[in-house]
Amino acid sequence: MPAPWRICCNKKSKAKNGKAEMDNMADTSEKMQMKKEITLLNGVSLIVGNMIGSGIFVSPRGVLMYSASYGLSLVIWALGGMFSLFGALCYAELGTSIVKSGGSYAYILEAFGAFVAFIRLWSSLLIIEPTTQAVIAITFANYIVQPIFPHCEPPYDAVRLIAAACICSLTFINCVNVKWGTRVQDVFTYAKVMALILVISVGLYKIGKGETENLRAPFEGSATNPGMIALALYSALFSYSGWDTLNYVTEEMQNPERNLPLSIAISMPIVTVIYLLTNIAYYVVLDMSAVLTSDAVAVTFGGETLSYAKWIIPIAVAMSCYSGLNSSIIAASRLFYVGAREGHLPDSLSLIHIKCFTPVPALLFNGLMTLLYLLVEDVFLLINYYCFNYWLFVGLSIAGLIYLRYTQPHRPRPIKLNLFFPIVYCLCSLFLVIVPLYSDTINSLIGIGIALSGIPAYYLGVYLPVEKRPKCLQWLSATTTKYVQMLFYCALSDLDIDMEPTAAKSK
């Protein structure tokens, strides 16, 4: 007996001209797959747009606070860029040898099997993705309403409603067309880079005029405690996170063997140089106490230097948030789509729209989860729970690169790095896992608990053979898939139908 979604997929519908058409795409020349519409330029915009979030505008003070001098902080920013480049190069090899969307989830699945990959997916579903997106949306809303309430706290409800509108608008755009999403990404990434170039230009102008009092004796008072330097480096590396964005959409890239590593090679130096020059501009204009006490360093900088044009900075922060949220939505929806395709999430999330070729159910699920997290008043505190998990799984995926080198030596690798790079980054990841355990033990343990809460779900939904799974779950999954398909005009992709069930493979 065919599955409910197959029946629905083959159901004939009456066209306006009276001819019958099949809902599945088997009768057309087009394959039912997401289209390869992401170009090299789109790839660069996705990486740069996700890496350069609101942080460089709002609070680049973490590195300075722990390093205690301008000179040492700039050295740490440069080191953070170099370490991140190592990780990105490792992901370039992984992304060209395992040509699957899903980022670290897909690589962990390939290297270490279904259980570890499911725990990574579960952590993203419950805490990492919805929390990150909710925080970005709230930051966007705060900067949108700031001009209306310049001298007081903006209304809580207004901020949350604008944040919800932001999430809904971007979810809609990405449901309609992949190209719409990438165009939004391109435009807003260019805009925020131009805003940062304005900040940098002002800083260089001040240096040209000889206003460098703040940069004299730049290493004076530098931190010498290894623990403080480690925390400064941790802050810098966290600011560089997002370089793996493109690996979540590998299957939708044009010529991924060429464009994925090239996008990474272009993006990483751009972001590192922008971070360094932006911080130099801040340091030239603002003294250390001003940087450390400011709630939004770029806004303070604009107030000091841009006069009547200072309104540009809050708008730039909002645009930066919009771009970062868009790239996060694109990446997260593909993660859930691939997870469902592999049998780790309900089948309904592995469907794509028949005409738009977008993962509409996965996008809507991601949007709904983020909207739910907007209802949490202290959503910013939830970020503390996932630092440990995030770096653990990034490190595991790069450890998977080393593992696959030995277990699958003959696997085609268009890019093959010297093992020095993954080994160094694995050590760096180990450091990034230890730091939150040391500095924020309780929150890290809560994050571990959230990840491990996925064990019962894995046992019931993945590990057990289909015939032994609870009948109510099977009925719920089949019914949801059937009605999601009918409601959103979706079908299984060709790749989904051709693939063997992951549950069988993982065993």
Side-chain angles (χ1 to χ4, degrees):
M1 179 180 174
W5 56 87
R6 297 282 182 88
I7 295 171
C8 188
C9 205
N10 291 325
K11 186 179 178 180
K12 292 185 178 182
S13 59
K14 200 78 172 176
K16 286 185 179 180
N17 59 8
K19 292 181 180 179
E21 64 173 352
M22 298 295 288
D23 282 353
N24 66 5
M25 301 304 291
D27 294 346
T28 71
S29 58
E30 270 189 307
K31 279 192 172 183
M32 176 50 65
Q33 291 178 339
M34 288 195 284
K35 302 304 177 187
K36 292 183 176 291
E37 294 186 323
I38 297 177
T39 63
L40 173 63
L41 187 60
N42 297 148
V44 172
S45 294
L46 279 167
I47 296 174
V48 173
N50 203 15
M51 288 181 72
I52 303 178
S54 61
I56 192 63
F57 291 99
V58 180
S59 56
R61 58 188 178 185
V63 177
L64 182 60
M65 180 170 62
Y66 293 116
S67 60
S69 75
Y70 284 162
L72 183 57
S73 72
L74 291 173
V75 170
I76 287 171
W77 277 109
L79 284 174
M82 184 178 70
F83 280 129
S84 298
L85 177 61
F86 282 15
L89 289 173
C90 293
Y91 263 50
E93 177 178 326
L94 285 166
T96 53
S97 60
I98 304 170
V99 190
K100 275 184 177 183
S101 296
S104 60
Y105 164 77
Y107 310 144
I108 291 170
L109 179 66
E110 188 75 23
F112 301 117
F115 176 70
V116 182
F118 181 86
I119 295 299
R120 189 263 179 267
L121 181 64
W122 186 262
S123 299
S124 290
L125 187 153
L126 275 192
I127 192 77
I128 297 175
E129 300 299 345
T131 300
T132 303
Q133 291 172 32
V135 166
I136 295 172
I138 291 167
T139 306
F140 166 83
N142 274 317
Y143 277 88
I144 286 291
V145 301
Q146 187 186 47
I148 305 171
F149 303 94
H151 305 298
C152 62
E153 193 76 18
Y156 175 87
D157 291 340
V159 169
R160 296 299 166 120
L161 286 172
I162 292 171
C166 173
I167 292 162
C168 292
S169 66
L170 285 172
T171 300
F172 172 75
I173 288 168
N174 283 285
C175 282
V176 172
N177 197 311
V178 173
K179 271 293 179 190
W180 285 19
T182 56
R183 282 171 187 155
V184 166
Q185 189 65 31
D186 293 346
V187 169
F188 281 86
T189 297
Y190 300 152
K192 70 177 170 186
V193 169
M194 291 301 294
L196 286 170
I197 289 173
L198 173 64
V199 170
I200 292 166
S201 300
V202 171
L204 295 178
Y205 173 74
K206 295 282 188 182
I207 292 172
K209 286 178 63 181
E211 298 180 20
T212 57
E213 293 83 2
N214 293 340
L215 297 181
R216 289 172 188 165
F219 290 92
E220 185 179 343
S222 295
T224 55
N225 184 324
M228 298 298 283
I229 294 172
L231 288 170
L233 184 58
Y234 179 78
S235 297
L237 287 167
F238 203 82
S239 297
Y240 280 103
S241 61
W243 44 259
D244 57 345
T245 304
L246 204 55
N247 293 72
Y248 286 89
V249 293
T250 308
E251 294 170 23
E252 296 171 71
M253 289 196 71
Q254 298 174 2
N255 192 7
E257 288 82 3
R258 170 186 177 271
N259 288 343
L260 176 62
L262 199 52
S263 298
I264 289 169
I266 293 170
S267 303
M268 294 304 297
I270 288 174
V271 174
T272 303
V273 170
I274 286 176
Y275 275 5
L276 284 169
L277 293 179
T278 302
N279 277 288
I280 289 171
Y282 291 155
Y283 298 164
V284 167
V285 173
L286 305 171
D287 60 28
M288 192 176 296
S289 62
V291 175
L292 293 176
T293 58
S294 174
D295 289 329
V297 176
V299 174
T300 306
F301 176 93
E304 293 283 338
T305 59
L306 298 179
S307 185
Y308 294 109
K310 63 185 179 182
W311 56 269
I312 292 173
I313 299 299
I315 298 299
V317 177
M319 289 191 297
S320 182
C321 293
Y322 202 72
S323 166
L325 181 59
N326 184 60
S327 58
S328 184
I329 286 172
I330 291 172
S333 62
R334 272 54 176 188
L335 172 62
F336 299 146
Y337 164 77
V338 173
R341 192 177 69 190
E342 297 289 348
H344 290 175
L345 289 177
D347 294 325
S348 55
L349 298 182
S350 68
L351 304 173
I352 63 173
H353 195 277
I354 285 176
K355 294 191 175 179
C356 300
F357 301 99
T358 54
V360 172
L363 281 159
L364 293 175
F365 173 75
N366 175 73
L368 179 61
M369 287 293 293
T370 307
L371 290 174
L372 288 174
Y373 274 68
L374 285 181
L375 301 176
V376 180
E377 189 167 352
D378 294 328
V379 68
F380 285 82
L381 295 179
L382 297 178
I383 289 181
N384 299 326
Y385 299 154
Y386 78 70
C387 295
F388 175 90
N389 294 6
Y390 177 83
W391 292 114
L392 173 65
F393 291 120
V394 169
L396 267 178
S397 59
I398 293 179
L401 183 154
I402 301 170
Y403 179 74
L404 290 172
R405 284 283 189 93
Y406 290 100
T407 57
Q408 300 179 20
H410 303 299
R411 188 185 191 100
R413 291 177 173 86
I415 292 177
K416 191 172 183 179
L417 296 175
N418 187 300
L419 282 176
F420 168 79
F421 292 98
I423 288 171
V424 167
Y425 199 82
C426 280
L427 293 174
C428 183
S429 298
L430 183 63
F431 156 74
L432 290 167
V433 167
I434 291 170
V435 167
L437 268 178
Y438 164 76
S439 62
D440 198 7
T441 306
I442 298 299
N443 286 330
S444 296
L445 291 175
I446 292 172
I448 293 170
I450 290 170
L452 295 180
S453 70
I455 293 175
Y458 174 79
Y459 178 77
L460 290 174
V462 181
Y463 180 78
L464 284 178
V466 175
E467 61 274 10
K468 292 186 178 179
R469 293 175 193 171
K471 299 296 182 186
C472 58
L473 290 182
Q474 294 185 51
W475 174 84
L476 182 63
S477 176
T479 305
T480 303
T481 302
K482 175 182 175 181
Y483 287 105
V484 163
Q485 185 182 13
M486 290 191 293
L487 184 61
F488 299 115
Y489 201 54
C490 295
L492 289 174
S493 68
D494 288 346
L495 180 61
D496 298 341
I497 295 167
D498 293 340
M499 289 176 65
E500 297 174 9
T502 301
K505 288 195 291 182
S506 63
K507 292 184 181 181

